[in-house]
């Protein structure tokens, strides 16, 4: 990436003796949408607050558009922020809320009105400018909060779990709208979430955070299919883990539940006799003989959940449970708990973790 628009260099944040963010480095390109993804307490919101200026780093440097903003106050950074709790002014109308930042900046009234009309159109609420926040739904309130953040034409947009208070259907629709608006405006955006589906669906890249560290920064495709750490593999998506013993590291062979599993590559970090964990995504596993799949393991049906179009099956393979989904076929009854079964998969779908 040449000339990153946002650059976080060796950021560390401590509260007393507790370090909540450590050695955090990230470059974000102009117009890029990057999500910070991780569980509660991993440091993602703290990093966002340091970018915004609400927290000061204990060490490190923050640059926006080539300018060092590490010690600048929030109102000196020209950054827009949308909060989880909307934070709209209850005594102001929608239009007045959107115009607030413009009024503080001393923008002329006519220009304010034009910009508010533009923002209301952008968030698809052109007729609601005279309403008050209590007269709006949660999704509408969050749209207004987004419009207020965008009205002053910030250089950078920060979103702190903006959809977590909404119901599932509204959340999906609004995240798609946020992504469409971001792409239309071309504004560099940082989005904080603990929802992996949210991050995977709308991000250019994802920084997966754990205990104050960015464990992996990559595209959604790479994060899901090529996780670099065990935490990333477990946190993003559903993961099956099979425990085995290396029998031939040069040929990449591992014994699992009495059967040999041949991997696509040789094993470089373990030797014969070492225990190793193999990871498989559920969608790469077939029940019974998969079409052309190379590896087969025998087991027993442990759980069956009928979900309509999909039947979720868990197969006990040795001491491990392997989850997989099969499509519902009305002419074929689902497997029964206790039945003998086999699973199959390809060597290239196995991750060594």
């Amino acid at each position: 990436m040449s000339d990153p628009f946002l650059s976080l260099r060796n950021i560390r944040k401590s509260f007393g003796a507790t370090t909540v963010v450590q050695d955090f480095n990230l470059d974000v390109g102009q117009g890029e949408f990057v999500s910070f993804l991780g569980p509660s307490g991993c440091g993602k919101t703290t990093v966002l607050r340091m970018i915004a200026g609400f927290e000061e780093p204990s060490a490190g440097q923050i640059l926006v558009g080539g300018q060092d903003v590490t010690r600048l106050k929030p109102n000196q950074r020209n950054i827009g922020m949308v909060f989880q709790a909307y934070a709209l002014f209850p005594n102001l109308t929608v239009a007045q809320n959107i115009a607030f930042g413009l009024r503080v900046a001393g923008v002329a009234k006519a220009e304010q009105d034009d910009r508010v009309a533009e923002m209301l159109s952008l968030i698809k609420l052109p007729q609601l400018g005279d309403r008050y926040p209590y007269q709006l739904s949660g999704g509408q309130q969050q749209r207004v909060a987004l419009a207020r953040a965008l009205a002053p034409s910030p250089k950078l947009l920060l979103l702190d779990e903006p959809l977590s208070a909404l119901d599932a259907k509204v959340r999906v629709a609004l995240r798609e709208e946020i992504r469409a608006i971001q792409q239309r405006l071309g504004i560099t955006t940082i989005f904080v979430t603990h929802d992996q589906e949210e991050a995977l669906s709308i991000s250019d890249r994802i920084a997966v955070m754990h205990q104050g560290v960015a464990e992996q920064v990559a595209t959604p495709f790479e994060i899901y299919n090529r996780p670099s750490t065990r935490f990333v593999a477990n946190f993003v998506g559903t993961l099956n883990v099979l425990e085995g013993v290396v029998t031939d590291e040069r040929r990449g062979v591992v014994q699992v539940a009495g059967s040999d599993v041949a991997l696509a590559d040789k094993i470089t970090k373990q030797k014969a006799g070492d225990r190793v964990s193999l990871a498989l995504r559920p969608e790469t596993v077939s029940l019974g003989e998969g079409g052309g799949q190379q590896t087969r393991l025998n087991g027993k049906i442990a759980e069956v959940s009928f979900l309509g179009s999909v039947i979720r099956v868990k197969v006990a393979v040795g001491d491990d449970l392997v989850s997989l989904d099969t499509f519902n076929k009305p002419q074929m009854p689902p497997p029964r708990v206790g039945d003998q079964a086999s699973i199959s998969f390809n060597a290239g779908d196995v991750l060594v973790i």
Side-chain angles (χ1 to χ4, degrees):
M1 182 190 301
S2 60
D3 299 324
F5 183 75
L6 169 67
S7 188
L8 307 178
R9 299 178 180 173
N10 303 310
I11 297 297
R12 179 172 57 82
K13 179 63 179 178
S14 299
F15 296 99
T18 304
T19 299
V20 295
V21 176
Q22 50 189 322
D23 195 30
F24 190 94
N25 291 275
L26 179 68
D27 286 335
V28 181
Q30 175 72 55
E32 193 175 13
F33 193 114
V34 175
S35 291
F36 293 168
L37 174 66
S40 297
C42 70
K44 56 189 184 296
T45 293
T46 301
V47 175
L48 197 78
R49 289 176 62 82
M50 286 190 282
I51 298 171
F54 299 130
E55 299 285 355
E56 188 171 306
S58 304
Q61 190 179 33
I62 301 171
L63 293 94
V64 178
Q67 178 190 8
D68 187 343
V69 302
T70 313
R71 309 300 169 200
L72 294 184
K73 296 177 180 178
N75 62 350
Q76 297 174 316
R77 301 190 183 201
N78 191 20
I79 290 174
M81 187 157 181
V82 179
F83 300 91
Q84 177 181 339
Y86 318 143
L88 298 177
F89 301 110
N91 58 322
L92 301 182
T93 65
V94 166
Q96 291 168 337
N97 265 283
I98 295 172
F100 181 80
L102 302 170
R103 183 165 57 82
V104 170
V107 174
K109 183 65 167 63
E111 190 176 339
Q112 286 183 40
D113 293 343
D114 288 345
R115 184 63 173 165
V116 167
E118 183 184 348
M119 288 296 99
L120 285 170
S121 176
L122 184 70
I123 62 171
K124 301 178 182 177
L125 299 176
Q127 309 302 322
L128 302 186
D130 293 333
R131 292 194 184 180
Y132 286 87
Y134 74 89
Q135 297 173 305
L136 305 179
S137 68
Q140 290 172 332
Q141 290 184 55
Q142 196 57 288
R143 286 181 177 87
V144 174
L146 177 63
R148 184 180 61 184
L150 291 170
S153 300
K155 295 186 292 187
L156 182 65
L157 178 64
L158 308 178
L159 301 126
D160 186 12
E161 303 213 37
L163 309 178
S164 59
L166 304 173
D167 66 57
K169 191 172 182 179
V170 174
R171 192 161 64 237
V172 170
L174 193 49
R175 79 185 183 208
E176 292 171 354
E177 286 186 36
I178 288 173
R179 179 57 163 155
I181 289 171
Q182 183 268 337
Q183 290 181 312
R184 177 177 167 186
L185 299 178
I187 187 170
T188 308
T189 300
I190 305 294
F191 183 92
V192 165
T193 182
H194 63 270
D195 187 315
Q196 53 179 285
E197 182 182 303
E198 229 164 59
L200 290 168
S201 65
I202 61 177
S203 309
D204 293 313
R205 285 189 300 152
I206 300 171
V208 181
M209 295 187 63
H210 179 51
Q211 296 181 345
V213 174
E215 295 227 345
Q216 186 174 1
V217 181
T219 65
F221 182 86
E222 291 168 330
I223 290 285
Y224 187 84
N225 290 300
R226 303 185 187 98
S228 61
T229 69
R230 189 179 187 117
F231 173 80
V232 174
N234 277 299
F235 188 77
V236 181
T238 303
L239 195 71
N240 295 307
V241 178
L242 293 166
E243 301 297 336
V245 176
V246 178
T247 56
D248 189 333
E249 69 271 25
R250 286 171 297 180
R251 291 195 301 122
V253 179
V254 177
Q255 189 174 81
V256 176
S259 298
D260 283 344
V261 175
L263 307 180
D265 298 305
K266 65 181 180 180
I267 299 170
T268 57
K269 294 182 180 180
Q270 292 87 12
K271 61 183 184 299
D274 287 348
R275 294 197 65 80
V276 69
S277 298
L278 305 181
L280 284 162
R281 297 291 188 194
E283 63 270 22
T284 66
V285 184
S286 297
L287 187 63
E289 297 281 354
Q293 290 182 310
Q294 303 156 335
T295 302
R296 177 177 173 179
L297 294 175
N298 294 319
K300 184 180 291 186
I301 303 294
E303 293 181 30
V304 178
S305 300
F306 183 75
L307 305 176
S309 61
V310 167
I311 299 171
R312 187 153 296 159
V313 180
K314 291 186 178 181
V315 180
V317 177
D319 294 329
D320 301 312
L321 280 180
V322 177
S323 294
L324 58 97
D325 290 342
T326 64
F327 286 111
N328 173 39
K329 297 177 181 177
Q331 295 79 22
M332 185 182 299
R336 294 176 299 178
V337 172
D339 284 353
Q340 296 296 317
S342 64
I343 61 168
S344 54
F345 50 89
N346 287 321
D349 294 326
V350 181
L351 297 169
V352 179
I353 59 173

